Amino acid sequence: MIREAYSSGGLYRGLEEILVGRHPLDAQKITSRICGVCPLAHSLAAAYCLEDALGLSAQVPPNGRLLRNLIYGANFLHNHILHFYHLALPDYLDPSLLSGRLAALGGLLSAGVPPGEGRFSASETESLVSHYLEALEVRRKAHELEALFGGRTPHDMAIVPGGVTYRPSLSEVEAYRFRLKEIRGFMESRYVPDLFLFLARHRDHFALGRGGNLLSFGCFPLRDGALGVSDRLFPAGVFRAGRVEPLDVAKITESIASSWYEGEACAAPLRGRAEPAPGREGRYSWVKSPRYGGEPFEVGPAARVRIGLELGDAAFRDMAWEFLREAGAGPDDLASVAGRHLARGIEAAYLAHQLEGWLDALDLRGPIAVPVAIPNEADGCGLTCAPRGALGHWMRIRDGRIRNYQVISPTTWNASPRDGAGVPGPIERALIGTRVRGDGRVEAGRIVRSFDPCLACAIH
């Protein structure tokens, strides 16, 4: 049994410090370099942050909102397909069952289960590995969707404070529609059936790596002029003590009790800056410890779906319940290894349908952005959800320059070390008490990867 668990991030990057003294518009492009897998989330959060500081949140034109959603939605689909097929599935495959041309992949998949201990038959294993290869091509098509309206990928050139920089042509809209149908076809014929096969063979994983509190900032604005975190496709909220509550951003703090920093022990974003202090006694991570109301919270697809079951629209709730019934699971099973995989499938299937509607709503002659003017002093906050969970950017402008910039990313929440009260972070908690075989690497690896962690984002 795992009796103690410590989640550590071992690389300091310092992008928040790099931003100090720079022009506020630099933040939107520099912070997208925090991650090459989910750069669109940082691009959006920085744009929202600047719009909040500049008083533009209610002025972004409809096309700006729709095009942002379409660019970001493609990245969301890419991330969920990537996670299931290329980051998580190899943990469950027995490469010795592969034959013919697929046998050559055995060495690449050698991190899977020991021979004879897998739960997929030989034919199922070969089918899943074939779909693993197909998913590489589908991910390329998702990147093409991002680049059609975003200019390039992974780091877009289109999203800016006030809207977007590029108005697509009719031919580009139809090119997006064609590729989206191809991706949806893969999801319906491959991803969703493979997901349910996985869940059928690993039903006990609904009891593995279970979490507690859940939090979401929400993402994909649905209404023009919507401020803050209201009116989003995946709604914002907090799940605690068996019920969903409204999100109160003022309750967010970051502890550095177990992190290699010096500064205020537990501060709200922008209230103080933590200076790096490598090797500081009693600390074990470069990741800080975000807390909401003093408690750790898991963020990510499980949180979004659980909160969406209460606050989401009827179509989302219907699809989520349909997936849960098919999997033989309930809402309380979402914060588990199997539940996190199921939640990604629910999100991907629902979002793929929404993208078509946003495409139809575009006005190719309408405005795509509003002008910006940098004030001498302002504070801003931009909240969204990366595929991995809640992402927040906070910025303070003084004398027309960035005085302070703070980022709290999804894996900072999930992979946080113990706080000042000694309370473990969500990944640490999910590991503690797990019964394991041998050295425990199989079970521990599956639990940790179910969160889809990104330490580059966590430390930034």
Side-chain angles (χ1 to χ4, degrees), residues 100-151:
R101 67 181 184 90
L102 295 178
L105 288 173
L108 297 176
L109 302 174
S110 59
V113 297
E117 294 188 19
R119 302 185 187 180
F120 297 115
S121 68
S123 61
E124 290 169 344
T125 300
E126 295 204 345
S127 175
L128 289 169
V129 172
S130 294
H131 299 165
Y132 172 107
L133 295 174
E134 287 183 44
L136 293 170
E137 177 71 8
V138 173
R139 285 174 52 200
R140 181 183 64 79
K141 292 175 181 177
H143 275 322
E144 289 176 351
L145 286 190
E146 296 173 45
L148 270 170
F149 297 164

Side-chain angles (χ1 to χ4, degrees), residues 441-459:
R441 291 184 184 181
V442 171
E443 293 84 359
R446 291 175 177 180
I447 291 171
V448 172
R449 275 187 280 280
S450 73
F451 287 87
D452 195 10
C454 175
L455 285 177
C457 281
I459 302 164

Side-chain angles (χ1 to χ4, degrees), residues 89-435:
L89 189 60
D91 284 346
Y92 296 89
L93 299 177
D94 178 356
S96 69
L97 298 178
L98 298 174
S99 60
R101 67 181 184 90
L102 295 178
L105 288 173
L108 297 176
L109 302 174
S110 59
V113 297
E117 294 188 19
R119 302 185 187 180
F120 297 115
S121 68
S123 61
E124 290 169 344
T125 300
E126 295 204 345
S127 175
L128 289 169
V129 172
S130 294
H131 299 165
Y132 172 107
L133 295 174
E134 287 183 44
L136 293 170
E137 177 71 8
V138 173
R139 285 174 52 200
R140 181 183 64 79
K141 292 175 181 177
H143 275 322
E144 289 176 351
L145 286 190
E146 296 173 45
L148 270 170
F149 297 164
R152 68 179 184 186
T153 191
H155 304 294
D156 79 284
M157 298 299 292
I159 297 171
V160 292
V164 295
T165 61
Y166 186 69
R167 185 196 315 278
S169 66
L170 179 60
S171 63
E172 288 168 323
V173 169
E174 292 309 308
Y176 188 108
R177 193 185 309 276
F178 178 78
R179 286 169 176 80
L180 176 60
K181 288 182 178 179
E182 289 185 307
I183 295 170
R184 281 181 56 181
F186 173 84
M187 291 172 55
E188 292 167 1
S189 65
R190 300 287 192 263
Y191 178 27
V192 173
D194 287 348
L195 172 63
F196 283 119
L197 172 63
F198 167 82
L199 295 173
R201 296 290 182 271
H202 300 87
R203 194 168 299 279
D204 58 323
H205 281 31
F206 283 112
L208 183 67
R210 292 182 70 93
N213 298 333
L214 301 169
L215 178 147
S216 173
F217 291 160
C219 51
F220 299 107
L222 295 176
R223 182 171 59 84
D224 298 327
L227 300 174
V229 294
S230 62
D231 297 303
R232 294 185 167 189
L233 181 71
F234 300 134
V238 173
F239 179 79
R240 173 171 49 187
R243 65 189 185 93
V244 173
E245 306 168 4
L247 175 72
D248 182 355
V249 181
K251 292 183 178 181
I252 298 172
T253 58
E254 274 193 302
S255 169
I256 58 170
S258 296
S259 310
W260 291 307
Y261 298 96
E262 291 179 346
E264 187 173 344
C266 189
L270 292 186
R271 201 167 74 192
R273 276 168 54 193
E275 302 293 335
R280 191 172 179 188
E281 189 71 23
R283 315 297 173 94
Y284 63 93
S285 182
W286 283 111
V287 181
K288 300 175 186 177
S289 300
R291 295 295 184 260
Y292 180 88
E295 299 179 64
F297 276 76
E298 174 181 337
V299 300
R304 289 191 294 266
V305 172
R306 184 64 186 85
I307 292 165
L309 284 170
E310 303 288 337
L311 305 180
D313 64 26
F316 176 80
R317 295 198 304 271
D318 288 346
M319 178 174 284
W321 278 112
E322 181 182 347
F323 273 61
L324 284 166
R325 285 191 292 268
E326 179 72 18
D332 292 340
D333 295 320
L334 287 165
S336 66
V337 170
R340 294 177 191 109
H341 291 296
L342 175 60
R344 287 185 184 90
I346 294 170
E347 285 191 330
Y350 187 64
L351 179 59
H353 286 276
Q354 292 298 312
L355 291 173
E356 185 83 23
W358 292 332
L359 202 63
D360 291 338
L362 283 173
D363 175 6
L364 299 183
R365 296 182 179 179
I368 58 175
V370 294
V372 303
I374 304 301
N376 196 48
E377 292 191 6
D379 290 347
C381 172
L383 306 178
T384 188
C385 268
R388 291 157 183 81
L391 170 66
H393 285 213
W394 287 261
M395 176 174 59
R396 175 158 291 162
I397 300 171
R398 296 293 182 268
D399 299 323
R401 296 282 167 170
I402 297 173
R403 175 70 59 84
N404 193 2
Y405 204 99
Q406 296 292 312
V407 175
I408 302 181
S409 77
T411 306
T412 314
W413 287 96
N414 289 335
S416 63
R418 284 157 172 76
D419 55 27
V423 178
I427 287 178
E428 293 178 334
R429 173 181 170 172
L431 289 165
I432 294 171
T434 301
R435 295 190 176 278

